[in-house]
């Protein structure tokens, strides 16, 4: 009896898998299939993923739109399973710098997939070597050696370990409102109490100072030296992303660099979000003429096709991993598919001059948005940004949420920032057409005019 029940159950889930695999194969789905997909997705989120995510979607959408299920993407847009198109101004939190499914990135990954997807882990894998050489060439100053990861948080973890090995010190200075990821090491650098509190104590030795306050930074260095807790490294985002698109004050990063040198500490720049052309330069460090000792990359690094990240370091820092290259490892980091995607992504960024495009379109977008919010000072506090990393700060959270709902209803995806929900981010693909920017600005005007303060 027990056996038959198990068999029937086994058969059901096998049929289910066949159905899902058939759907994956289809370029288009019928209205009936779309309905089935939506029901299955909503129910399984509720029963097997996390019902809290459905509740979250309800707070950022009108009526039944929380159940919008994404299905395909291209250019600066994605479509839901019912065929509704949205201009993507969230950009997957900044992963779609070269656009959705850029043909050159897709081609590189497809070709690599036909030959070899993952590496043996023991022989020499060519693309990892070639990508590392390319990175040494395009990153600022004498950044040279690369370790590859699968995500931003992993890049930060690797950076922290590099800094510890290099210095034999355990103190790190990070900034308030910082976001560096959510694994235990990177979370130690992340600033939001709500994300940290349940997991305390985290990695010991982290101190947070207000972002942009050079005096506090200097005092903290002084105090750490006085009490014998010398600083291993300062960990900063050049422009804070999840903290609400916060630009550093004039001269801040340069002065931090000087302090690090004075105290023989390393400077780690977390460019997981600002890197790969987002802010108008290939790396935001170039905006401020600062060369970090360690640079963290991820998000857009895999071209919005593959999960991929990297940590690039100066030789004096990285050489501590020479004696034992297994000191820090990851099975999937730097796999052939990810490297193919990253190489094609960098090629597209350079070929299409996308960092310069981000600067130009970003200036235009920012100016148009500033015009659009005139007369809405009761709702909008400030608009700021650099390149295509733009934040709209509202007077309070509720206005921000209602704004996001209105935008989604009109076919534009925007979202709050993780640390600061009052600020809505605009981080479209760097390939976004000017007509699409105009359409977003018109939508902002329309939504704001309907919103109550
Ligand atoms: C998103 C982000 C991370 C974390 O990246 P994951 O891939 O989500 O782990 C780290 N640092 C910054 C600046 C980020 O924006």
């Amino acid at each position: 009896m027990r056996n038959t029940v198990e068999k029937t159950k086994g058969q059901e889930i096998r049929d289910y898998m066949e159905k899902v695999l058939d759907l994956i194969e289809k370029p288009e789905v019928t209205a009936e299939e779309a309905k089935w997909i939506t029901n299955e997705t909503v129910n399984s989120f509720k029963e097997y993923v996390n019902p809290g995510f459905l509740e979250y979607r309800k707070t950022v959408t009108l009526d039944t739109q929380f159940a919008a299920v994404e299905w395909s993407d291209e250019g600066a847009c994605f479509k839901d399973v019912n065929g509704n198109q949205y201009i993507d101004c969230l950009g997957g939190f900044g992963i779609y710098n070269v656009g959705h499914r850029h043909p050159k990135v897709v081609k590189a990954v497809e070709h690599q997939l036909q030959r070899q997807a993952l590496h043996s882990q023991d022989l020499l894998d060519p693309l990892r070597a070639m990508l590392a050489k390319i990175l040494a060439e395009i990153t600022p100053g004498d950044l040279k050696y690369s370790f590859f990861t699968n995500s931003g948080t992993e890049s930060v973890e690797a950076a922290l370990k590099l800094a510890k090995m290099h210095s034999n010190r355990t103190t790190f200075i990070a900034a308030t409102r910082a976001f560096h990821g959510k694994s235990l090491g990177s979370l130690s650098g992340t600033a939001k109490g709500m994300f940290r509190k349940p997991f305390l104590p985290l990695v010991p030795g982290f101190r947070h100072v207000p972002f942009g306050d050079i005096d506090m930074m200097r005092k903290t260095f002084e105090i750490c030296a006085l009490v014998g807790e010398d600083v291993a490294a300062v960990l900063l985002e050049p422009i804070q992303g999840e903290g609400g698109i916060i630009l550093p004050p004039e001269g801040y990063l340069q002065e931090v660099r000087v302090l690090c040198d004075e105290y023989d500490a390393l400077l780690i720049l977390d460019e997981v979000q600002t890197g790969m052309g987002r802010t108008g330069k290939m790396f935001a460090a170039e905006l401020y003429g600062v060369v970090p000792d360690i640079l963290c990359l991820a998000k857009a690094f895999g071209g919005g096709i593959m999960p991929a990240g990297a940590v690039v370091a100066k030789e004096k820092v990285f050489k501590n991993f020479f004696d034992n290259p297994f000191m820090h490892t990851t099975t999937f980091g730097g796999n052939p598919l990810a490297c193919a995607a990253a190489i094609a992504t960098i090629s597209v960024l350079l070929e299409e001059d996308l960092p310069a495009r981000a600067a130009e379109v970003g200036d235009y977008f920012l100016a148009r948005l500033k015009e659009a919010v005139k007369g809405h000072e009761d709702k909008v506090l400030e608009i700021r940004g650099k390149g295509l990393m733009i934040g709209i700060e509202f007077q309070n959270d509720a206005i921000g949420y209602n704004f996001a709902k209105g935008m989604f209803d009109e076919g534009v995806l925007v979202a709050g920032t993780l640390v600061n929900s009052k600020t809505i981010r605009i981080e479209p693909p760097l390939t976004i057409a000017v007509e699409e920017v105009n359409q977003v600005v018109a939508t902002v005007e329309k939504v704001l005019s309907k919103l109550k303060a």
Side-chain angles (χ1 to χ4, degrees):
M1 181 66 195
R2 188 166 159 260
N3 237 340
T4 18
V5 169
E6 267 172 17
K7 247 187 212 145
T8 332
K9 209 174 162 203
Q11 191 55 47
E12 258 170 40
I13 201 69
R14 282 198 302 232
D15 291 345
Y16 184 83
M17 286 188 280
E18 289 314 310
K19 180 158 187 175
V20 176
L21 290 170
D22 279 346
L23 283 170
I24 293 173
E25 243 181 81
K26 289 192 173 173
E28 303 281 343
V29 295
T30 64
E32 198 182 320
E33 286 165 336
K35 206 168 162 197
W36 185 83
I37 292 167
T38 301
N39 281 337
E40 271 306 303
T41 308
V42 171
N43 289 338
S44 296
F45 257 84
K46 181 159 169 262
E47 296 294 333
Y48 307 108
V49 180
N50 188 337
F53 197 78
L54 296 174
E55 294 310 309
Y56 155 75
R57 285 295 300 154
K58 285 177 188 167
T59 65
V60 293
T61 50
L62 296 168
D63 311 322
T64 56
Q65 288 174 352
F66 79 95
V69 171
E70 58 188 279
W71 194 247
S72 64
D73 64 341
E74 190 168 16
C77 299
F78 68 91
K79 277 188 187 167
D80 69 21
V81 73
N82 296 313
N84 301 312
Q85 182 159 297
Y86 302 85
I87 298 181
D88 185 6
C89 276
L90 169 60
F93 298 116
I95 58 183
Y96 294 113
N97 291 16
V98 297
H100 289 257
R101 289 190 307 112
H102 191 289
K104 195 168 187 176
V105 185
V106 171
K107 196 170 120 192
V109 173
E110 278 178 352
H111 283 150
Q112 184 58 44
L113 183 59
Q114 297 305 324
R115 206 177 55 253
Q116 186 193 20
L118 299 176
H119 50 315
S120 73
Q121 311 289 330
D122 209 47
L123 275 71
L124 300 180
D125 44 322
L127 298 190
R128 189 148 55 105
M130 293 164 193
L131 175 57
K133 174 177 172 163
I134 294 164
L135 275 178
E137 187 60 37
I138 66 163
T139 48
D142 48 351
L143 289 168
K144 185 159 186 256
Y145 284 91
S146 287
F147 175 80
F148 295 106
T149 69
N150 307 287
S151 65
T153 195
E154 282 177 68
S155 295
V156 174
E157 297 289 338
L160 299 177
K161 285 173 85 172
L162 276 168
K164 281 195 169 188
M165 270 202 92
H166 171 76
S167 62
N168 256 325
R169 300 176 180 179
T170 56
T171 304
F172 289 91
I173 303 179
T176 53
R177 288 188 163 197
F179 186 81
H180 298 293
K182 288 180 183 160
S183 55
L184 294 171
S186 69
L187 185 62
S188 310
T190 291
K192 191 164 181 163
M194 194 238 291
F195 293 144
R196 301 174 93 248
K197 226 170 173 175
F199 310 107
L200 295 173
L202 293 165
V203 174
F206 274 82
R207 297 174 180 228
H208 287 81
V209 299
F211 183 73
D213 184 340
I214 195 66
D215 291 329
M216 272 301 278
M217 182 68 82
R218 184 177 301 111
K219 279 188 191 126
T220 306
F221 263 107
E222 280 168 17
I223 293 165
C224 287
L226 278 174
V227 300
E229 293 178 17
D230 290 318
V231 177
V234 172
L235 169 63
L236 291 175
E237 298 154 86
I239 296 172
Q240 293 189 315
E242 300 310 317
I245 319 293
I246 316 278
L247 303 176
E250 183 83 28
Y252 176 68
L253 292 171
Q254 290 94 322
E255 289 178 81
V256 171
R257 175 72 271 184
V258 170
L259 277 174
C260 287
D261 291 339
E262 196 178 315
Y263 286 89
D264 210 12
L266 299 178
L267 176 61
I268 304 171
L269 286 185
D270 178 351
E271 294 229 32
V272 167
Q273 195 160 149
T274 53
M276 313 317 290
R278 171 62 52 195
T279 67
K281 295 278 185 197
M282 187 62 93
F283 304 104
E286 297 167 52
L287 288 171
Y288 306 103
V290 167
V291 179
D293 300 292
I294 305 175
L295 178 72
C296 301
L297 301 172
K299 291 213 166 102
F301 188 64
I305 301 282
M306 290 298 299
V311 53
V312 194
K314 292 181 178 172
E315 181 164 357
K316 68 166 185 184
V317 177
F318 202 92
K319 71 174 196 289
N320 299 291
F321 282 1
F322 289 175
D323 280 347
N324 184 355
F326 300 100
M327 200 50 141
H328 187 66
T329 57
T330 152
T331 303
F332 292 135
N335 70 70
L337 291 176
C339 289
I343 293 169
T345 300
I346 295 167
S347 162
V348 168
L349 286 166
L350 293 174
E351 191 172 77
E352 299 182 15
D353 207 7
L354 290 180
R357 193 166 192 282
E360 200 180 313
V361 177
D363 280 350
Y364 172 76
F365 207 155
L366 194 64
R368 291 287 321 269
L369 283 172
K370 281 185 173 165
E371 256 169 60
V373 305
K374 278 203 183 119
H376 296 289
E377 289 77 11
D378 52 339
K379 288 165 257 180
V380 179
L381 190 65
E382 191 184 38
I383 299 196
R384 54 181 176 261
K386 194 85 194 159
L388 280 168
M389 189 168 179
I390 298 172
I392 308 179
E393 182 163 351
F394 292 89
Q395 296 289 1
N396 58 52
D397 285 346
I399 300 174
Y401 277 129
N402 286 328
F403 175 79
K405 284 184 192 183
M407 293 296 284
F408 193 71
D409 188 42
E410 295 287 337
V412 179
L413 179 68
V414 295
T417 44
L418 278 178
V419 184
N420 176 2
S421 42
K422 266 192 342 190
T423 302
I424 295 287
R425 82 178 85 214
I426 309 271
E427 286 190 42
L430 312 184
T431 54
I432 189 170
V434 173
E435 303 84 77
E436 286 166 324
V437 171
N438 292 338
Q439 205 181 321
V440 173
V441 173
T443 310
V444 168
E445 280 168 349
K446 185 172 171 188
V447 170
L448 275 180
S449 67
K450 284 198 261 176
L451 263 188
K452 294 204 172 55

